[in-house]
Amino acid sequence: MQIIRTVTFGFLLVIAVLTTAIVSTYYNTRNVLDANSLIAHTQKVLYSSEEIVAQSTPIATGYRTYLITGDTNYLKPHDPKPINNLYAKVDTLSTYVTSPSQKARIDTLRDMIGHRILYADTAISLIQNQGRQAAVAFVSLNGSKKILDEIRRLVNEIQAEEKGMLAIRQKTEALQQRAYYTVFLGLVVLIFVILIALYLFILNNIKARANAETELRDSRNLLHAIINNTSSNIFIKDLEGRYVLVNSPMAALFGKKPSQIVGLTDYDIVPEHVATKVRDDDKMVAITAQLREVEDDVPMQGEIRSYITAKFPIYDDKGVVKGVCGVTTDITQRKQAEKKLKDALTDVQDLYNHAPCGYHSLNESGIITEINDTELKWLGYTRKEVVNKMRFTDLITTEGKTKFPQLFQQFKELGHIEGVQYEMVRKDGSSFHAMLSATAIFDEQGKFSHSRTTIHDISELKQAEQMRESLNQLLAQQVSQLEEANAELNAFTYSASHDLRAPLRAISSFASLLYRDHNTVLTEDGKRLLDIIRGNAKKMAQLIDDLLIYSRIGRAAVNTAEVEMVGFAESITEELRDAYNNNLKAKFTFSEPHRVHCDKVLVRQVLLNLLGNAVKYSSKNPNPQIHFGWYHVNRENVFYVKDNGAGFDMRYADKLFGVFQRLHSDVEFEGTGVGLAIVARIVQKHGGRVWAEGKPDEGATFYFTIPDN
């Protein structure tokens, strides 16, 4: 509208300037014509005056020539016709002038002409009546010359005044022309300025309009992109219910393109009962001219989908409702989620009320604001009797009431409390022991709002504690007795092993002396018996040594340090080679190095026993192979010794780590039956485990663990 008003004003201004120029030109033309008319009038005056002078001259010269020549032909200017013609010209000259002075001069001029005609007629009459001499005498008086001079003077004055008026008129006309041209040029320049200004204004507005149209087109494209790529369904309908605009997501719901839905009504795309409801909602929005939100369940692609639609009126430029716009969102998942949430809340409420523990909440004054069914059942009250009516102190013993205020104040300051015990009083007066833990809930200002308290009935726990105290007393007695028995057993083991060493050494020594000194007199059977005595004495000594080691391990403390186990195992194999005088046939292999924390002295005994057993039990294999390895699982370091020796039957695996338990006879493999028991005892002192796997004649693998900590 602004540009239209501006352009209209500009063109009206141009028309006004053009009108001014035309009017100015018109008046200038009139002035020019008037000036030309005045100039022509002046020219006529000058011409007529000259003509009068010219026609009056023959009158003077005619009678003189006649006087000299006597020829009457020279008297023709004195005929009535020339005389009348001369007076007629004087009258005509009189009509050309307007000023009184000029008219007075012309009147005088007429009189002078009359005098001159009279003078000439007198001279002619004298010639004709009195003779030439009388006429010459009359003429010699110079009366004719004076009249002629007067006529010339009058004509000169008339011409001078007319010429003066002509000069003034020409000057005035020149000034008027200059003013006209100045004004006209100014008006032309003004028109050009206005037209250029209008051109620039229109050009700028065209550019601005082009930019606005570009921005509008970009905005429209952006709006279409947003509308067509939003997850909501957007539409516009006219007052007859026909779709005017539909975005792509909505059209896709019906398997169509937006252009295929435009022009249709809801009756064309959904069931009639749904379309009727939608149409009624649209009419309500158009009538009330207010935003309206409605929910609809619409059958869509074989299922019922729930939609919520926000509808609002659209107005024309006069403020009249011309249609309805709607934004529809599929809330099927939300409603399903709400149902799940509702079910979950029901489950939570059910869990809250039927939990195996009690729940309640206290406000700042200690009044119970919430309580679950479990706690109500323990107390024997109904919810109406307790909620917002009873204080927590109404449900505890006098001793509890004494300590509650201080604990409750500390709880509100700290925000939590754990493991507080109260003796709760039931409605029937009986009591039970309870342990509670609570968390404080604060409002936005940091002020205490309420508590969330969990209560556990610990009556059975109290009974169990009493029983535990009794059992602890009994256990302490048994431990004391066991310690005494272990001390006695250790003393006996130590004493027995030491007391047995002397007779064993004597038996072995005497048997050796007997064999050496009396070898020649002994029979073969005697020698065999002596060998048996010596072998059993040696075996008995080894057994005593193993028992001493087993006994010491039970008393020894575990001193841990970082040990590289693979290198440690390699050093043990070198000791075994030395013990066998480098006659070991077994081939040893090892995994990559690995470090753990353990008692190096005790673990050395474990490795020595396991690697020694592997050497011993694989000795009958022509190509013995022994491998020491490890792996890590479940925060445990698992080490193992694997051989391809005699193996064992897994049915007897549980006997391997017991004292004096052997799966092979002494004839097959020597041993005391204590070595693996020592291994088990050392590993257990480290918090680990031992086990074994094997098959007869296919080898065995012995495992032990050392925990990470």
Side-chain angles (χ1 to χ4, degrees):
M1 295 299 293
Q2 180 64 32
I3 184 173
I4 294 175
R5 286 195 295 268
T6 303
V7 173
T8 302
F9 174 77
F11 277 109
L12 289 176
L13 185 60
V14 170
I15 291 171
V17 173
L18 286 174
T19 303
T20 303
I22 292 170
V23 171
S24 176
T25 302
Y26 169 75
Y27 281 106
N28 180 70
T29 303
R30 284 189 58 185
N31 290 334
V32 169
L33 292 174
D34 291 342
N36 290 334
S37 177
L38 291 174
I39 291 171
H41 176 268
T42 299
Q43 295 295 336
K44 287 180 179 180
V45 171
L46 294 176
Y47 178 77
S48 294
S49 62
E50 288 293 336
E51 196 175 35
I52 290 171
V53 172
Q55 287 187 8
S56 65
T57 299
I59 295 174
T61 59
Y63 79 88
R64 286 186 179 189
T65 305
Y66 172 71
L67 178 62
I68 296 171
T69 62
D71 188 356
T72 58
N73 289 325
Y74 290 104
L75 295 179
K76 288 182 178 180
H78 292 271
D79 291 338
K81 186 175 180 180
I83 294 300
N84 291 333
N85 188 31
L86 178 61
Y87 278 116
K89 290 187 179 296
V90 172
D91 292 336
T92 301
L93 178 62
S94 179
T95 61
Y96 289 160
V97 298
T98 57
S99 66
S101 60
Q102 290 289 72
K103 284 187 177 294
R105 290 187 184 97
I106 292 171
D107 290 339
T108 302
L109 179 62
R110 181 184 292 107
D111 291 340
M112 288 293 102
I113 291 171
H115 287 312
R116 187 164 189 175
I117 293 171
L118 179 61
Y119 184 83
D121 288 342
T122 301
I124 293 169
S125 178
L126 287 175
I127 294 171
Q128 290 176 354
N129 296 318
Q130 296 181 15
R132 183 172 296 171
Q133 290 297 328
V136 169
F138 178 76
V139 172
S140 62
L141 293 176
N142 290 324
S144 176
K145 182 177 181 304
K146 292 179 180 178
I147 294 172
L148 181 62
D149 291 338
E150 183 65 19
I151 291 173
R152 287 191 178 277
R153 184 187 66 79
L154 289 172
V155 170
N156 288 336
E157 287 180 358
I158 291 171
Q159 289 181 347
E161 184 173 342
E162 286 298 326
K163 289 180 178 179
M165 292 176 64
L166 177 61
I168 292 171
R169 288 166 182 167
Q170 288 176 338
K171 186 176 180 180
T172 302
E173 182 186 7
L175 291 174
Q176 289 177 344
Q177 287 297 313
R178 190 178 298 110
Y180 165 74
Y181 288 129
T182 301
V183 172
F184 186 80
L185 181 61
L187 292 174
V188 170
V189 171
L190 180 60
I191 290 172
F192 273 104
V193 169
I194 294 173
L195 290 176
I196 291 172
L198 284 174
Y199 169 76
L200 293 176
F201 177 77
I202 294 171
L203 181 63
N204 289 333
N205 276 276
I206 289 173
K207 290 181 179 179
R209 182 171 183 176
N211 293 333
E213 288 177 351
T214 300
E215 293 178 0
L216 180 62
R217 184 169 55 254
D218 294 341
S219 299
R220 187 183 296 111
N221 292 336
L222 178 61
L223 180 61
H224 279 294
I226 293 173
I227 290 176
N228 288 318
N229 290 282
T230 183
S231 58
S232 299
N233 306 320
I234 301 174
F235 63 86
I236 297 176
K237 302 177 188 175
D238 60 19
L239 295 178
E240 283 71 37
R242 290 187 298 269
Y243 284 97
V244 177
L245 181 144
V246 178
N247 71 340
S248 297
M250 181 171 179
L253 289 176
F254 303 100
K256 299 178 180 294
K257 295 180 180 179
S259 59
Q260 294 176 311
I261 296 183
V262 171
L264 301 180
T265 67
D266 290 301
Y267 291 96
D268 299 318
I269 55 178
V270 295
E272 183 177 357
H273 69 282
V274 176
T276 300
K277 182 179 181 302
V278 172
R279 180 63 180 146
D280 291 341
D281 291 334
D282 293 345
K283 290 180 179 178
M284 185 63 68
V285 172
I287 293 171
T288 61
Q290 293 180 347
L291 174 68
R292 181 178 175 86
E293 287 190 355
V294 294
E295 287 190 21
D296 298 298
D297 293 328
V298 181
M300 191 71 62
Q301 298 176 355
E303 61 176 339
I304 301 298
R305 306 291 295 180
S306 298
Y307 296 92
I308 184 169
T309 304
K311 297 182 178 181
F312 53 90
I314 296 178
Y315 302 90
D316 59 17
D317 55 358
K318 297 180 181 178
V320 179
V321 176
K322 68 174 184 178
V324 175
C325 180
V327 180
T328 302
T329 303
D330 188 338
I331 59 171
T332 305
Q333 293 183 350
R334 192 186 79 183
K335 295 193 74 171
Q336 292 173 350
E338 288 175 352
K339 184 179 183 304
K340 290 181 180 179
L341 178 61
K342 184 178 179 180
D343 294 341
L345 289 174
T346 302
D347 293 340
V348 169
Q349 191 67 25
D350 182 72
L351 179 63
Y352 173 80
N353 282 316
H354 299 92
C357 58
Y359 292 111
H360 69 247
S361 294
L362 306 181
N363 64 13
E364 189 177 14
S365 302
I367 297 175
I368 298 173
T369 57
E370 291 183 23
I371 188 168
N372 73 338
D373 292 348
T374 301
E375 190 171 348
L376 288 171
K377 184 178 180 181
W378 289 348
L379 295 170
Y381 288 99
T382 63
R383 183 169 274 98
K384 290 184 179 180
E385 292 175 317
V386 176
V387 174
N388 295 324
K389 294 179 181 178
M390 298 183 71
R391 298 177 182 271
F392 180 71
T393 51
D394 297 332
L395 302 174
I396 55 179
T397 60
T398 303
E399 181 183 356
K401 293 176 181 178
T402 302
K403 67 179 183 179
F404 176 78
Q406 181 179 358
L407 288 175
F408 192 52
Q409 184 61 34
Q410 291 177 355
F411 163 68
K412 289 189 288 185
E413 293 174 356
L414 295 175
H416 63 88
I417 195 169
E418 301 287 342
V420 178
Q421 295 186 15
Y422 285 101
E423 187 173 355
M424 307 288 292
V425 179
R426 298 186 179 94
K427 185 177 181 179
D428 61 7
S430 61
S431 63
F432 65 93
H433 291 279
M435 178 184 292
L436 65 85
S437 297
T439 300
I441 305 300
F442 299 92
D443 59 21
E444 295 179 354
Q445 287 73 36
K447 185 179 178 182
F448 176 82
S449 173
H450 61 279
S451 72
R452 288 178 179 168
T453 307
T454 303
I455 291 184
H456 294 274
D457 185 347
I458 58 172
S459 300
E460 295 181 357
L461 180 61
K462 283 288 186 180
Q463 296 174 359
E465 286 181 352
Q466 295 174 357
M467 184 178 295
R468 184 190 65 188
E469 290 177 359
S470 300
L471 291 175
N472 284 340
Q473 292 176 359
L474 178 61
L475 181 61
Q477 294 175 359
Q478 292 178 347
V479 168
S480 177
Q481 294 173 0
L482 181 60
E483 288 177 348
E484 291 178 2
N486 281 336
E488 292 175 358
L489 178 60
N490 287 332
F492 171 76
T493 302
Y494 185 79
S495 174
S497 61
H498 279 76
D499 291 343
L500 287 174
R501 281 179 179 276
L504 281 175
R505 282 197 297 270
I507 292 172
S508 180
S509 298
F510 284 125
S512 296
L513 289 173
L514 181 61
Y515 187 83
R516 186 190 64 188
D517 296 338
H518 302 281
N519 185 34
T520 57
V521 297
L522 289 173
T523 63
E524 292 299 323
D525 189 50
K527 293 178 182 180
R528 184 181 62 79
L529 292 174
L530 281 176
D531 288 337
I532 292 173
I533 292 171
R534 291 169 63 190
N536 282 306
K538 181 179 179 181
K539 181 179 179 182
M540 191 63 171
Q542 183 63 46
L543 178 59
I544 291 171
D545 290 339
D546 289 345
L547 287 173
L548 285 173
I549 293 172
Y550 187 78
S551 177
R552 282 199 303 272
I553 289 170
R555 300 190 304 272
V558 178
N559 299 311
T560 61
E562 190 176 65
V563 178
E564 200 287 287
M565 293 292 288
V566 177
F568 195 21
E570 289 184 21
S571 66
I572 299 297
T573 61
E574 294 301 321
E575 293 182 22
L576 290 173
R577 291 185 189 279
D578 293 339
Y580 280 87
N581 296 320
N582 291 322
N583 290 325
L584 282 179
K585 297 187 297 180
K587 180 180 179 181
F588 291 93
T589 57
F590 302 91
S591 295
E592 64 273 12
H594 185 63
R595 293 181 177 275
V596 295
H597 282 82
C598 62
D599 189 314
K600 188 172 183 179
V601 175
L602 296 178
V603 171
R604 180 183 182 282
Q605 188 67 50
V606 171
L607 295 176
L608 186 61
N609 287 2
L610 292 178
L611 291 169
N613 281 353
V615 170
K616 178 171 64 177
Y617 288 105
S618 63
S619 60
K620 294 183 179 181
N621 190 311
N623 185 26
Q625 303 284 332
I626 300 173
H627 177 73
F628 178 79
W630 66 273
Y631 60 89
H632 187 273
V633 63
N634 296 331
R635 300 177 62 82
E636 284 188 320
N637 301 283
V638 181
F639 298 94
Y640 60 90
V641 177
K642 183 177 182 180
D643 63 63
N644 59 351
F648 62 89
D649 192 336
M650 285 295 292
R651 290 179 298 174
Y652 308 108
D654 57 337
K655 296 181 179 181
L656 286 173
F657 297 97
V659 181
F660 305 129
Q661 298 293 328
R662 301 200 65 214
L663 301 183
H664 300 277
S665 65
D666 286 341
V667 176
E668 292 180 287
F669 301 101
E670 294 182 353
T672 62
V674 182
L676 290 179
I678 294 172
V679 169
R681 196 164 199 180
I682 293 173
V683 172
Q684 289 166 1
K685 288 180 75 68
H686 281 78
R689 302 174 292 120
V690 293
W691 72 94
E693 297 173 354
K695 288 184 179 181
D697 300 324
E698 294 185 14
T701 303
F702 286 81
Y703 299 88
F704 68 94
T705 67
I706 299 177
D708 286 344
N709 58 353

